[in-house]
Structures are given as C-alpha cells and as structure tokens.
Amino acid sequence: MIETLKHAVSVWALFWSDGYVAHLFAAAVLLLLLLKRKNRTVRQLLLPAALALLLFFFPLTARLLMKMVGDDIYWRILWIVPVFPILAFAGTELARRAKKLPRFLLVLLLLGVTVLTGKDMYQAGNYTRLHNLQQVPEEVPHICNLLHTWAQENGLPYVYAAADDHLATWLRIYDPTILMPYGRYGRDARNVYARALHSRLSAQDGEFAKITNDAKLLRCRFLIVPGTSEDLDAQVASYGCPWIGRINDYHFFYVPPDSPLTEIEENAAGDAGSAQNENTAEDAAASPDGNITEEGAPEE
Amino acid sequence: MGMMIRMALACFWLVPVPLLCGQMFFRNRPFAWPESILAGILFMFSAAEVLILPMTFLRLPLHVLTVCCAAVFLAGTAAGLIRLCRFYGKNGGRDSVSAGKHPFSMKHLFNRKEFSWYLLAAVLVILLQMAVVSYFGHFDQDDAFYVGAATTAVQTDTIFEISAYTGFPYRTLPKRYVLSPFPILLAVISRLSAGLHPAVLAHVVYAPVFVGAGYLALWLLARRFYPEEPDSRGIFLLLSALLYWFCGYASRNQGSFLLLRPWQGKAVLAGVLLPFLFYLCLQLFLPSGQKEENEPWFLLFLGILASCHVSTMGVLLAPLTAGIFMVSALLQKARPNIIWRTILCCLPPLALGIVYLIL
C-alpha cells in the first residue's frame, strides 16, 4: 500500500518535472476554496479534479490502474485532472472583479508569473527549422536518395538496409519502400541476428566482423554504419562489403549476396549454416503467404 | 498535383468537413463553429473507428476504406449543410443575415459588447503557436510507428498487414494498435489529399489543426464559465495559451503533448478530446443554471468512441472521465438517470476491451 502511494507520488513529481505548475495548482485550489467555495462553477470544477486525484493517489485504485495501464505509463492517468483549466480559471477569477487598469495590471502580473515559473517550449530546444517538408532529420532524405540511386544503377529491385537506432526510426517514415530487419528500439526484429545487429550498430561497438556477418545472415543488401573513425571504411570493406558512400557520419556499404565467408562464418560454419536455415524458416514464417523470395524481400 | 493543392485538399478534409459534419448534431440551433468543428472531429474519428476495425480483420485494402470514409464524411457534411440551411430558412433568412446572424458572419466578433483585447491577444498567441508547430519540426521517435504505419499503409495499400518498422508482413496482429487505428485515418486523409505524403500531412497540416482544436475546447470551457463576460473569456484563453506555451520543463503534461506532437493520437487525446469531454460532461451532468442549450448526449458517446480511436489510453481515460463527472454530479444532487446514460455512452470502450481480450 505504502509502496503504491510512494510510486504515485513519484509519478506526480516526475509528471511536472522541475516546473512549478504543481505549486501553482495547489495555490489556485487553495485560493478558490478560500474565496469562492460557494461558487457553483468552482464546485463543478474542483470536485471532479479531487475525485481524479483520489483515484490517482489512493493505493487501492492506484494499484488497479497501474495494473491496467502499466507502471511505466501510469503518469497518463493525470491527463484526466483538469489542471490547466483550473489554473486559468483561478487566474481569471482573480482578475475579473478588478476595474479596467487594475485588471490589466493583474493580468500582466499573472502572465509574468506564468512566464517566470515556466519554460518556453521554443527555447527548451524542442523545435528545429528543417528544409524538408516531411520534417525528418535533414540527412534522412539524402540517405534514402543515395540508397535508391545506387540500387537502381546496380539493378537491385529493392533496398533492404540495416542501420542504427536513429535511422531505423526515421528511414521508413520518409520512404516506406525501404525494408529493414528491425525498427526503432529493435522492435519487430526479424530474429536474434536482427536484434544483435541493432544493438551493435546503435552502440557503435566496432565489432565489424560480427556486424557484417549479421547483415549477411539477414540478407540485407545495405549496411549503414555510424562512426567517425578514419579507417572504418577499410575495416568494413575487408569483410567483403564494399564501401559505396558517406553522408555526415554515416558510412554506406553494399552487402553482396554471394560475398565470401567471413572469418566468423568460417569459425562457426555449423552455427552459421543452421542459422541460415533458421533464418529462411523465420522469413517464411514471417509471411503468411510465404511470399519471401530467396533474397529475403517480399515479391512484387 | 502541386503540393499547395494537396495541402488545400487536406485542409478541406480537416476543417470545413468536420465543421459541417458537426452541425448535424445541433437541432434548431444557430451555427456555432467551435462546437460544430469539435463535434465534427468526434464524428469523423468515430466513423473511422467503426469502419477501420472490421476492414482490418477482413484484410481489405486501404483504397476500399478510403472510398467508404470519404462517402461517410461527405454524407455527414451534406447532412450538416442541410440542417443549417433548414434552420436559417425557418428563422428569417435574409433578416437574420442583415442582423449579423448569418452562419458565417463575423460581425458579432467586432461588436463592442463582444470584443475583447484579451481575446485578441489570446488569438494572436494561439495563431503564433499554430504557425510554430507547422513551420518548425520536432523530432519524436514515436513517429516511427504513428507516422510510419500511415506511410506503410499508403505505400502497400493495406491496413495493419505490414510492419511499420520493417516493411515485412506482421507475424501477429499488433493488437495494442489495431483497436486505436488513428494512423490509418492519417493514411486515409493522405489518400484523400491526392497522395500528400503522410509525414507532410501529419507535421504540417495535422499539427496546427489539432492545436487549434485543443484551444477551441478550452474556449468552450471559457464560454461556459463566463457566458456574459468577453474580457474574462479572453483572459482565460490567454492564460491557458501561455500556460501551455511555458510548460517546456516537462514532456509529459497535456500542454507539451499538444504543442510538441499534436499529430499523434495520444496528444490529440490529452490536448483535444479530454478537454472537450470535460466540457461535454460539465454541460450534460452539471448544468450551469443559466439558460443555455445543452449538448446532445450522443456527443458524449461519440467523444468516448473517438477517444478509443486515437489512443488505447482513451479506452480507459474517456470512461474514467465520464465516470468521475457522473459521480461528481451525483454528489451535487444530479438526477440519477444520468447513470444509465453514462453507462450506455461507455459501451464502446467496454466492447473494445472484450475484443482486446479475445485477440
């Protein structure tokens, strides 16, 4: 019980972070209770808010709600507390009785309090000026163009690429024709190799032998490796994946379907062989219609 | 087709269509665009939910869904327009136009009794916010699914058959998302906008539209609290706009959700639908005592269904909101017949909960 209450309190604190809205909210409620408690609208606004907060903090209901939505997103329950309307209402109640000039000054004071106790959305670094209408990171359109151009020039019917978590998030938003072995946070990873490849590329662990091996096992045609190391291109290319280009800190490699076995593959020939079979089986299982070609991509 | 024409088409589906669709819920009542546009949004989301769910399970292609959605939305628009014409036909026609009561007249806004400098300031701040969310980009990784599912649906002409993350067919249906198919509506509107890229539609068109809709819900609350005081309404809206704009210290509250990622279903739930549900619940459960025209109960039903459409959290939060206001009303001696009405309105999330368990 006490643990649940502690968790609810910590969720409340995290919800408002280091802002002062929680304090302002408490002050607004106090003010309304002291000055306007007989007002019908005040009752109509505060009673539902109190019931919502009771549901949120009372250990029994809190436990039940946490079970329903999950501990990690329990903070979303707070969306049903009309905090902002109550704050705006309390501010308006303060100002509305005053005459013209005092009212204007009071409103200015309230706006000043809001500005000083808050943090500007824009200055908090939330917005960026972008030059693509899709509003994806600037390098994403260039990367998609590079991959498609290369695929077209070399007769590849599709683009199947493995990249780090950042690109795994944005590539398919911009261009859904690009296939990937996993998505953001490794979600919908096709198999264990896809999960391993996602972790290695995102962590930039420099294990290029394993990275190229995983990409081959997954039958990706492109490997996008992030990094600033000068010999990165040569290192990856030495595992049978020729370098095809670079955009910012992303290096692009072609993963040929018939590239020679890497050292790791040779060392673990048995595992690799069984993995290849397992991979094919997984691919087939991935498609209810069994429409996965030998190259690992859906048929037209 | 030019990008501007596509954007204009998208605006057509997101502003005039809900505006007129919403009018069909208000009988014998003059045109009131804030309620109408929000009611129209509820209607469109609810219709999309009812159409998308069976089509997902029947594995129908996206273009069939697009045709059905367009037909329903246009039928709603026609119904709203007819109701509006009938009302103004019955109530004076030309006389009402000359008296400034024309449905699209803006005369009353500049009427001395209605005008408020505070309201003007609030509107300017809100317009600035709408311009910022549309013109500038905000990177949110959740887009990988919420926008990715729409781009995937448009590209493959399927509904939740192909993974938004990989482009390969789903091994199992993503049941958490299937019941709240807001990204599929994005795909539908993209198709209806002559193929406007879903990412452009979400980031450039959806964003300002839903930020504006969020403030319309707050405006309705202001109008309820201060029906005869234009200055107080303006102050309320101005304070709300500033409170939202200055909540950059946290990323989880309603304000930051609405201003950072208004194209995502959960932000629409937190910033638009829940405030509108507060308003509807206040109107339906707790009359203000003034002479006013109550909103129809059917809107609460649509509001709860629309909440289920935009986010799985809506399945819980919308009935919870209705329940809280109902208990609050009963504590304030409301008539007990609101209980069964509320229960009826909460049937959609109950049904979706059962479907979720079956899946």
Side-chain angles (χ1 to χ4, degrees), chain B residues 135-214:
Chain B
Y135 187 71
F136 292 97
H138 170 74
F139 299 139
D140 190 90
Q141 293 197 316
D142 284 353
D143 277 7
F145 183 82
Y146 292 108
V147 181
T151 54
T152 303
V154 169
Q155 191 253 332
T156 58
D157 194 24
T158 57
I159 307 169
F160 282 132
E161 284 185 45
I162 306 291
S163 163
Y165 292 121
T166 64
F168 288 100
Y170 275 118
R171 294 171 197 204
T172 52
L173 208 61
K175 62 178 181 176
R176 190 177 153 200
Y177 300 112
V178 162
L179 299 179
S180 299
F182 190 60
I184 301 299
L185 181 63
L186 178 65
V188 167
I189 304 282
S190 158
R191 280 271 172 105
L192 291 174
S193 312
L196 182 64
H197 194 295
V200 179
L201 176 62
H203 296 142
V204 181
V205 186
Y206 260 39
V209 166
F210 288 123
V211 167

Side-chain angles (χ1 to χ4, degrees), chain A residues 179-245:
Chain A
L179 302 169
M180 303 198 76
Y182 47 78
R184 169 201 174 200
Y185 295 159
R187 283 179 189 159
D188 285 358
R190 310 202 69 213
N191 51 35
V192 286
Y193 299 103
R195 276 189 284 277
L197 184 57
H198 170 262
S199 309
R200 291 199 175 105
L201 282 174
S202 302
Q204 299 189 29
D205 65 359
E207 295 269 9
F208 300 122
K210 288 177 183 169
I211 287 172
T212 50
N213 187 48
D214 286 342
K216 284 172 191 168
L217 290 174
L218 289 162
R219 284 170 291 159
C220 293
R221 292 285 72 91
F222 294 98
L223 184 60
I224 308 172
V225 183
T228 49
S229 161
E230 281 186 7
D231 61 342
L232 189 149
D233 297 343
Q235 278 193 54
V236 178
S238 72
Y239 293 104
C241 299
W243 178 83
I244 58 172

Side-chain angles (χ1 to χ4, degrees), chain A residues 73-86:
Chain A
I73 53 168
Y74 184 58
W75 51 270
R76 290 188 191 169
I77 298 292
L78 287 172
W79 286 347
I80 62 170
V81 186
V83 171
F84 290 101
I86 288 175

Side-chain angles (χ1 to χ4, degrees), chain A residues 87-145:
Chain A
L87 276 174
F89 179 75
T92 312
E93 284 296 310
L94 261 184
R96 68 191 272 250
R97 293 282 173 218
K99 298 265 182 205
K100 277 197 172 176
L101 184 65
R103 178 192 292 180
F104 175 69
L105 293 175
L106 258 174
V107 170
L108 274 188
L109 181 74
L110 289 168
L111 295 181
V113 169
T114 308
V115 170
L116 290 175
T117 56
K119 191 174 182 182
D120 180 5
M121 278 287 186
Y122 188 81
Q123 286 188 337
N126 290 309
Y127 300 104
T128 318
R129 175 78 187 105
L130 294 162
H131 295 94
N132 63 84
L133 272 176
Q134 283 80 0
Q135 295 188 353
V136 294
E138 294 290 14
E139 67 271 20
V140 170
H142 300 298
I143 289 172
C144 293
N145 288 342

